[in-house]
Amino acid sequence: MGIKSFEGSRKGQQQVINNQSLKVSDYMTKDLITFKTTQSVEEVIDTLIKHKISGGPVVNDNYELIGIISEGDCIKQISESRYYNMPSDNNSVEKHMVKNVETIDGNLDVFDAAKKFLDSKRRRFPIVKDGKLVGQISQKDILKAAMQLKGHNWK
């Protein structure tokens, strides 16, 4: 015996999904806090704490993405300097950022982006268009998108 649904037929729901925009670019953060390679790790730490964020993109003067620095990168620098009893001078972002940055296409579906987050174990992906940083999508942005969609097609 099958399970009966008291909500009735769901034939119209697929249509709601197709009509609604589900692109990453619709949910990404566009007003980003960015860092420069010449900044110190201490400056980054202050910014992360002040703005309650866990990391951010590193850009050059042309706003081209050249890396990402995170809380983990900062903690690693602090830990290494203490372990090796080294002074904290000359600890620029350039030395501690991740340079091989994986990006996401702004036209990617948010559910495909969610799968990419699960597969990669990353917390954020920058979005680059024509060589310039245009935004960033985080796991929290994906959750917000899912909650917005819930009211339209999840019952």
Side-chain angles (χ1 to χ4, degrees):
M1 181 165 123
I3 299 173
K4 291 186 178 181
S5 171
F6 296 102
E7 294 179 25
S9 176
R10 295 183 184 205
K11 292 176 188 169
Q13 280 192 330
Q14 188 63 35
Q15 194 172 12
V16 172
I17 293 171
N18 291 336
N19 289 340
Q20 190 166 3
S21 178
L22 300 173
K23 293 191 304 186
V24 164
S25 59
D26 294 328
Y27 297 98
M28 70 182 184
T29 302
K30 296 173 186 165
D31 186 24
L32 297 174
I33 295 167
T34 60
F35 301 100
K36 300 285 186 184
T37 56
T38 55
Q39 285 182 276
S40 71
V41 171
E42 284 80 16
E43 287 178 83
V44 172
I45 293 169
D46 286 341
T47 303
L48 296 179
I49 292 168
K50 178 181 175 185
H51 295 283
K52 298 179 182 175
I53 57 175
S54 61
V58 181
V59 295
N60 63 17
D61 292 334
N62 296 325
Y63 219 67
E64 296 166 329
L65 179 69
I66 54 175
I68 284 201
I69 189 137
S70 68
E71 291 170 321
D73 300 322
C74 296
I75 289 170
K76 184 177 178 184
Q77 189 279 328
I78 291 167
S79 176
E80 287 175 356
S81 68
R82 183 168 177 162
Y83 179 78
Y84 294 110
N85 199 20
M86 299 293 289
S88 293
D89 61 339
N90 200 11
N91 61 349
S92 67
V93 167
E94 187 171 30
K95 291 184 177 183
H96 302 286
M97 69 182 187
V98 173
K99 295 175 184 155
N100 186 14
V101 180
E102 195 175 351
T103 62
I104 276 189
D105 183 356
N107 293 319
L108 189 67
D109 180 87
V110 292
F111 295 109
D112 293 332
K115 174 79 169 108
K116 193 163 181 170
F117 275 111
L118 291 173
D119 293 342
S120 70
K121 307 280 192 235
R122 301 211 187 280
R123 296 174 73 175
R124 71 193 66 76
F125 284 106
I127 292 102
V128 176
K129 185 176 182 181
D130 299 325
K132 308 279 185 200
L133 179 69
V134 294
Q136 178 173 277
I137 190 91
S138 68
Q139 290 181 356
K140 191 172 291 185
D141 296 325
I142 298 294
L143 293 175
K144 287 177 186 176
M147 291 309 289
Q148 273 186 328
L149 296 172
K150 180 181 176 190
H152 295 288
N153 54 12
W154 292 354
K155 299 270 180 186

